[in-house]
Amino acid sequence: MDTDFEKRTKSTILDFNNALTEHLEKFRVTVLDTLQQLPDTYCAYIPIKASQLGKAKGMMQNYPILSTVLVDNNVALNGRPFLEITNWNRKVDSVSYNFCYPIIKSDSLPQNDIIKYKKFEGVRALKAIYNGNYITSDRAWYALLDYAKKNGMEVWERPVEVFFSNPNFGGNELDWIAEIYMPLKE
């Protein structure tokens, strides 16, 4: 006969296993076995600080601001939106990042207190393809860290995510694509 403790323990383990299985079915990470070079680009960006889980919310809140100002002022876009992590503190679950849009640099860029401009310095990096909701794209960060460790590579823990899908259009989240890069120390 099972005790109440044994019944609760079995139930807890089964619930955890079901939740983990469901979570793992909602995304895919494919680490590529080649090094990539992220190119230099000029960009408009908004600096944001959030928890890892709050990263996507920060992008969703600032995407309309960034895109509207750029489009309304006829700024020439030059690529896909991306974010660059500038500080990743796992101990306190905090990330600081720049949510960026590559643009063509000009002398007449719109000025305000929110949007900033800079040259993004390209880097050599490990690369992964992430399919799933961008809320959990940090799963690819850990896959890249694991790959680097297994292969004796030193990396800067400052991932860059390039977004190919617009979540505002909905659809199957496994069809959403992001390229995730982990810069190499050289």
Side-chain angles (χ1 to χ4, degrees):
M1 178 181 275
D2 289 339
T3 66
D4 286 343
F5 173 75
E6 289 172 323
K7 290 177 185 174
R8 280 192 316 273
T9 302
K10 286 179 184 177
S11 177
T12 300
I13 290 170
L14 288 172
D15 289 347
F16 174 78
N17 185 51
N18 290 337
L20 180 60
T21 300
E22 184 179 313
H23 173 68
L24 293 174
E25 291 172 349
K26 292 183 177 180
F27 69 90
R28 276 190 314 269
V29 176
T30 307
V31 176
L32 304 182
D33 201 22
T34 59
L35 299 179
Q36 301 287 315
Q37 177 67 40
L38 277 169
D40 295 347
T41 189
Y42 197 74
C43 63
Y45 71 98
I46 298 176
I48 303 168
K49 185 174 182 175
S51 66
Q52 277 181 241
L53 187 61
K55 170 183 62 81
K57 183 178 179 183
M59 293 186 321
M60 289 187 298
Q61 288 173 333
N62 287 283
Y63 178 79
I65 298 167
L66 191 56
S67 61
T68 300
V69 168
L70 297 177
V71 169
D72 287 353
N73 288 280
N74 298 315
V75 175
L77 304 179
N78 192 29
R80 301 194 175 275
F82 69 96
L83 68 79
E84 64 170 334
I85 300 295
T86 56
N87 186 17
W88 179 17
N89 187 332
R90 286 181 266 177
K91 290 180 183 173
V92 297
D93 184 29
S94 171
V95 291
S96 297
Y97 61 98
N98 295 327
F99 181 45
C100 308
Y101 231 116
I103 61 170
I104 303 294
K105 186 176 181 179
S106 79
D107 294 332
S108 60
L109 294 172
Q111 301 299 314
N112 63 41
D113 294 335
I114 300 171
I115 298 174
K116 302 180 181 329
Y117 303 95
K118 71 173 195 156
K119 179 181 177 187
F120 169 80
E121 300 289 339
V123 295
R124 279 178 37 95
L126 298 173
K127 178 181 177 181
I129 304 297
Y130 175 82
N131 299 95
N133 192 307
Y134 296 153
I135 291 171
T136 56
S137 60
D138 60 342
R139 303 316 185 260
W141 304 359
Y142 292 102
L144 288 167
L145 290 177
D146 185 54
Y147 180 90
K149 183 178 181 181
K150 285 180 181 176
N151 289 282
M153 304 168 115
E154 289 190 73
V155 294
W156 296 105
E157 293 186 4
R158 295 188 181 128
V160 175
E161 300 187 356
V162 180
F163 303 104
F164 286 78
S165 306
N166 186 337
N168 293 325
F169 296 145
N172 181 353
E173 293 176 357
L174 283 173
D175 292 334
W176 299 358
I177 299 170
E179 293 177 347
I180 314 297
Y181 298 90
M182 189 66 69
L184 293 169
K185 288 185 179 179
E186 300 197 70

